[in-house]
């Protein structure tokens, strides 16, 4: 999708682009795959034995990057610049906020360097650090005569002390204010509630106001210095893995970086429009042609961009008018685009930023994550295809047959497709390849097996970050296949710089997420909640619902927890990007689900799906609202249409929670036993049983068919009154785990479909079927 270049940017935004471009170059160097001999060559040239060309030490790399990203955010989204036009009377306050964020970022970076034991900046400046290391080395040398041991790293002597507490809350306040400006209020509201909860419950414990576990956040200072304990807790937010320069900074800087740049380049390339033209060409003989084209293009484009709103506004500007022109109503057209664009986040091989967060939180390799995501993603997009088929029958939409003139594939479009497919194939080749087969395969035949090129490719094989890096390296020259890019090469530099701005804004978002994670960890709320719910489930024997008493057995335990997690993910995800929506619920309810018989990985996948679904869930369905801005339809009705089309995104998590074999990987069927050991769920071997899996997939296809037709109100012909709930009930029975109930469901499904297609008399659509 080509974007017009804005030549009238304010000076601050131009400066932000320049700084972001420098940051992108440095960031790409940092994530560069290991090239044999390059590290040694650089050390010989510089004369520094510990010099690094890539993968820079985080204790020295994170702080300046943290500061640079926040300077980029301030320059790009300056409050002063906006208020100078909108609210000139208080523009000075905007300037103070801009300066405040930069100062807060500097203090955060400086505080990290001062407090982390591997740096101890003030001690290094004063020379105390060198003396302490020397003393430690002498002590270790004298432990056993004639033997030496590695000296322990001495703790920092010069620290902020109690000043860490006001410094931390000042940084949090300023960053939260900017988060509201850049990302909106919902995430900041949740983060603020978590911070206030931790502070208030700490005070309740300090002053002994309650002994309720939910109202206590203990500092671990029983009989000790409360201020010292509170200072240590505040310091942890700076330097611990849950802190704002911990795992979430690592995700942005070391893991997701090349993929965000890749998405920014794709967003400005000519390949996006050509991809839509190809999808139209492929689906022109189907009655739902333009809608099917929207699904294909959104899935492929969305897996790279990873942002539902970005995807809607990119592909939707072409696909929605196509659907409208072919006869679909505006709400269905907007709903299809919103649902398909949101589904791009669950579509391998890239899946967006949230997938990398899932990798970091579950410690499951990225290749395993995309393997686990494959079948659920196929089920989701198959379901949308079915919805389009039934809707086209209902609205008597005919196949376009003839492609509109503005969507005909031209020679340049075929060339532009190279821009899309070669980087994706590069990712798949490196992610799914085997190191031995790469070294001994075609590449090894063309080049010498021990050449630096082959060894570099072998080093990159199986590594997600390296595959993203190479995709960017391949895409940049490919973009010049487009004549417009050749006429204006600066377009590539601007796209790279916009990727740097996006990463900076993304970290501002993840700062709030890291604060939630850090304060939840310090408060102990997650553990308290897990203990309370588990104890309650163990004590309750039945659930009374609408006058019926349902015995609470193992399955009902799990269903209650799953429904609770679903509601929390949707509620906490309202108006939020997928990443914070997923992390908030995963941190809070992930341990609870894992404690009730679901594997830790499956629990996170469950929450991840509903975080993705929150983008189309009213009342704050951001992807649907973006689609409504194109259709001109009422946003809420578009959101409802998106839910109807994408309903399987709300149901497939329950399916793979009950049938974790759908995720195809051993981690999905591995749980923690009561003794703390990792064991397989009873009945599973850790390897897919392809026979059983095939039967399950057949049942799933049948269930999806029933649900899609039920929600559309149409199959071969219009459904009769009462048929919709019957189809949904039968779909549930078909997927039931008990063999008897499942068999009843299959028999009822066969009878119902036979009656509808062979016996039922009605106003059948005489036009050709898809």
């Amino acid at each position: 999708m080509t974007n017009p270049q804005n030549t009238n940017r304010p000076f601050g935004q131009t400066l932000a682009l320049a700084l972001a471009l420098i940051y992108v170059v440095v960031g790409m160097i940092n994530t560069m795959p290991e090239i044999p001999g390059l590290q040694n060559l650089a050390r010989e040239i510089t004369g520094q034995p510990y010099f690094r060309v890539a993968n820079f030490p985080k204790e020295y790399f994170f702080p300046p990057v943290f500061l640079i990203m926040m300077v980029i955010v301030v320059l790009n989204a300056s409050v002063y610049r906006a208020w100078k036009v909108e609210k000139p009377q208080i523009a000075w306050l905007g300037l103070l906020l801009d300066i405040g964020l930069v100062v807060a970022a500097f203090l955060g970076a400086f505080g990290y360097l001062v407090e982390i034991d591997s740096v101890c900046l003030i001690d290094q400046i004063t020379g105390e650090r060198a003396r302490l290391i020397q003393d430690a080395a002498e002590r270790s040398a004298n432990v056993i005569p004639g033997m030496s041991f590695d000296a322990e790293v001495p703790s920092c002597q010069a620290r902020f002390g109690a000043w860490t507490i006001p410094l931390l809350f000042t940084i949090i306040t300023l960053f939260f204010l900017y988060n509201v400006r850049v990302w909106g209020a919902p995430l900041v509201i949740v983060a603020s509630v978590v911070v206030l909860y931790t502070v208030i419950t700490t005070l309740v414990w300090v002053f002994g106001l309650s002994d309720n576990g939910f109202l206590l956040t203990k500092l671990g200072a029983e009989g000790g210095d409360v201020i010292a304990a509170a200072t240590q807790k505040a310091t942890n937010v700076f330097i611990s893995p849950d802190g704002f320069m911990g795992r979430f900074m690592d995700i942005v800087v070391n893991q997701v970086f090349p993929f965000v740049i890749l998405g920014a380049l794709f967003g400005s390339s000519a390949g996006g429009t050509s991809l839509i033209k190809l999808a139209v060409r492929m689906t022109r003989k189907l009655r739902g042609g333009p809608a099917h084209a929207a699904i294909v293009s959104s899935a492929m484009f969305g897996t790279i961009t990873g942002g539902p709103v970005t995807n809607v506004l990119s592909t939707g500007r072409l696909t929605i008018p196509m659907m409208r022109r072919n006869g679909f109503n505006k709400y269905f057209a907007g709903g299809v685009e919103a649902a398909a664009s949101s589904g791009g986040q669950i579509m391998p091989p890239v899946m967006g930023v949230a997938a990398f967060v899932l990798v970091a939180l579950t410690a499951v390799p990225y290749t395993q994550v995309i393997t686990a995501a494959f079948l659920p993603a196929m089920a989701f997009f198959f379901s949308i295809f079915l919805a389009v088929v039934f809707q086209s029958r209902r609205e008597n939409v005919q196949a376009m047959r003839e492609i509109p003139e503005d969507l005909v594939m031209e020679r340049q479009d075929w060339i532009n497709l190279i821009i899309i497919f070669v980087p994706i194939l590069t990712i798949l080749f490196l992610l799914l390849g085997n190191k031995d087969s790469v070294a001994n395969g075609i590449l090894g035949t063309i080049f010498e097996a021990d050449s630096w090129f082959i060894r570099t490719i072998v080093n990159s094989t199986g590594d997600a970050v390296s595959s993203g890096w190479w995709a960017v390296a391949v895409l940049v020259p490919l973009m010049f296949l487009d004549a417009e890019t050749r006429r204006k090469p600066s377009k590539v530099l601007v796209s790279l710089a916009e990727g740097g701005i996006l990463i900076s804004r993304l970290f501002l978002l993840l700062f709030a997420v890291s604060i939630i994670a850090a304060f939840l960890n310090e408060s102990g709320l997650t553990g308290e909640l897990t203990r309370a719910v588990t104890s309650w489930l163990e004590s309750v024997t039945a659930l009374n619902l609408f006058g019926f008493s349902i015995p609470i057995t193992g399955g009902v335990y799990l269903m209650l927890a799953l429904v609770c997690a679903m509601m929390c993910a949707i509620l906490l995800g309202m108006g939020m990007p997928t990443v914070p929506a997923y992390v908030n619920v995963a941190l809070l309810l992930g341990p609870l689900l894992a404690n009730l018989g679901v594997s830790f990985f499956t629990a996170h996948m469950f929450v991840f799906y509903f975080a993705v679904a929150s983008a189309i869930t009213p009342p704050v369905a951001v992807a649907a609202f973006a689609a409504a801005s194109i259709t001109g339809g009422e946003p809420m009705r578009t959101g409802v249409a998106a839910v109807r089309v994408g309903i399987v995104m709300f149901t497939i998590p329950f399916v793979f929670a009950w049938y974790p074999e759908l995720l195809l990987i051993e981690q999905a069927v591995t749980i923690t036993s009561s003794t703390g050991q990792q064991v397989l769920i009873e009945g599973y071997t850790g390897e897919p049983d392809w026979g059983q899996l095939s039967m399950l997939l057949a049942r799933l296809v049948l269930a999806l068919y029933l649900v899609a037709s039920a929600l559309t109100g149409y199959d071969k012909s219009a459904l009769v009154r009462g048929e919709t709930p019957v189809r949904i009930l039968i779909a549930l029975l078909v997927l039931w785990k008990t063999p008897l109930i499942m068999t009843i469901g299959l028999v009822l499904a066969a009878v119902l479909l036979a009656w509808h297609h062979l016996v039922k008399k009605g106003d059948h659509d005489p036009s050709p079927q898809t």
Side-chain angles (χ1 to χ4, degrees), residues 2-64:
T2 55
N3 295 325
Q5 302 300 306
N6 184 358
T7 57
N8 298 314
R9 291 187 183 89
F11 174 75
Q13 290 186 339
T14 302
L15 189 58
L17 281 172
L19 188 59
L21 181 59
I22 295 171
Y23 171 45
V24 167
V25 172
V26 173
M28 290 299 291
I29 292 173
N30 175 61
T31 55
M32 183 170 57
E34 182 183 348
I35 300 177
L38 182 61
Q39 199 80 265
N40 292 334
L41 176 63
R43 288 171 178 173
E44 289 176 8
I45 293 173
T46 61
Q48 300 295 322
Y50 301 108
F51 183 82
R52 295 200 62 82
V53 175
N55 193 22
F56 305 130
K58 67 178 184 179
E59 59 266 30
Y60 291 102
F61 187 57
F62 283 5

Side-chain angles (χ1 to χ4, degrees), residues 514-743:
S514 68
I515 293 300
I516 292 172
F519 276 76
L520 278 179
N521 183 58
E522 299 298 344
S523 71
L525 174 62
T526 301
E528 192 66 35
L529 179 66
T530 300
R531 285 190 295 271
V533 173
T534 305
S535 299
W536 176 75
L537 288 173
E538 288 174 350
S539 63
V540 176
T541 57
L543 179 68
N544 294 314
L545 191 65
F546 303 117
F548 295 95
S549 181
I550 303 173
I552 294 186
T553 58
V556 179
Y557 287 159
L558 179 59
M559 183 58 71
L560 287 173
L562 292 176
V563 171
C564 180
M566 175 191 74
M567 297 303 297
C568 287
I570 292 174
L571 290 172
L572 289 176
M574 286 183 181
M576 282 190 208
T578 302
V579 173
Y582 157 61
V583 173
N584 291 344
V585 183
L587 292 174
L588 195 61
L589 294 180
L592 172 61
L593 294 178
N595 205 45
L596 293 175
V598 175
S599 77
F600 185 70
F601 176 78
T602 304
H604 275 259
M605 277 291 285
F606 182 91
V607 174
F608 172 71
Y609 256 69
F610 282 107
V612 172
S614 67
I616 60 171
T617 309
V620 189
V622 290
F625 291 178
S629 70
I630 300 174
T631 64
E634 199 271 315
M636 200 62 68
R637 286 186 63 183
T638 305
V640 172
V643 170
R644 288 177 59 191
V645 171
I647 191 67
V648 78
M649 196 182 289
F650 298 84
T651 56
I652 197 68
F654 287 94
V655 177
F656 65 64
W658 287 101
Y659 296 100
E661 60 265 36
L662 273 176
L663 300 182
L664 299 178
I665 63 173
E666 184 177 342
Q667 292 91 331
V669 294
T670 302
I671 59 174
T672 304
S673 68
S674 57
T675 60
Q677 295 179 321
Q678 295 294 304
V679 297
L680 294 172
I681 298 174
E682 185 178 353
Y684 292 100
T685 63
E687 294 292 331
D689 182 333
W690 296 109
Q692 292 292 331
L693 186 60
S694 299
M695 293 297 297
L696 173 59
L697 289 176
R699 289 160 52 202
L700 180 59
V701 167
L702 175 59
L704 293 178
Y705 184 97
L706 291 168
V707 170
S709 59
L711 293 179
T712 310
Y714 212 91
D715 189 344
K716 188 78 170 178
S717 61
L719 304 188
V720 300
R721 186 185 301 274
E723 194 174 349
T724 292
V726 169
R727 286 188 176 226
I728 293 175
L729 177 61
I730 292 175
L732 180 63
L733 297 179
V734 166
L735 290 175
W736 204 266
K737 207 160 188 176
T738 305
L740 176 60
I741 296 177
M742 176 192 70
T743 303

Side-chain angles (χ1 to χ4, degrees), residues 27-227:
M28 290 299 291
I29 292 173
N30 175 61
T31 55
M32 183 170 57
E34 182 183 348
I35 300 177
L38 182 61
Q39 199 80 265
N40 292 334
L41 176 63
R43 288 171 178 173
E44 289 176 8
I45 293 173
T46 61
Q48 300 295 322
Y50 301 108
F51 183 82
R52 295 200 62 82
V53 175
N55 193 22
F56 305 130
K58 67 178 184 179
E59 59 266 30
Y60 291 102
F61 187 57
F62 283 5
V65 164
F66 176 73
L67 178 58
I68 289 171
M69 286 193 291
M70 292 308 99
V71 171
I72 291 171
V73 168
V74 168
L75 290 172
N76 182 66
S78 169
V79 179
Y80 170 72
R81 186 171 60 243
W83 286 4
K84 190 167 65 171
V85 176
E86 301 168 5
K87 307 173 184 177
Q89 65 277 13
I90 58 170
W92 61 271
L93 181 58
L95 180 61
L96 288 180
L97 286 174
D98 288 346
I99 295 172
L101 183 67
V102 174
V103 172
F106 172 79
L107 291 175
F110 183 67
Y112 175 86
L113 291 170
V114 168
E115 297 290 344
I116 192 166
D117 286 340
S118 58
V119 179
C120 298
L121 182 60
I122 295 179
D123 286 354
Q124 288 201 39
I125 294 173
T126 61
E128 182 70 7
R129 179 74 170 170
R131 187 188 65 79
L132 291 173
I133 291 176
Q134 179 63 31
D135 289 348
E138 291 176 357
R139 286 195 302 272
S140 66
N142 294 327
V143 173
I144 300 177
M147 296 186 66
S148 62
F149 297 87
D150 290 335
E152 63 179 17
V153 177
S155 299
C156 303
Q157 302 301 302
R159 296 180 179 272
F160 282 141
W163 287 103
T164 305
I165 299 172
L167 173 62
L168 173 63
F169 284 97
T170 300
I171 293 172
I172 288 174
T173 301
L174 287 166
F175 271 69
F176 278 11
L177 288 172
Y178 247 89
N179 248 302
V180 172
R181 171 166 174 73
V182 175
W183 290 104
L187 174 60
V188 172
I189 291 173
V190 173
S192 299
V193 168
V194 172
V195 171
L196 288 174
Y197 169 83
T198 305
V199 172
I200 291 171
T201 52
T202 296
L203 294 175
V204 167
W205 175 76
V206 169
F207 293 105
L209 301 178
S210 173
D211 58 359
N212 186 296
F214 284 99
L215 298 179
L216 297 178
T217 293
K218 297 181 180 180
L219 294 175
E222 296 280 5
D225 188 341
V226 172
I227 297 298

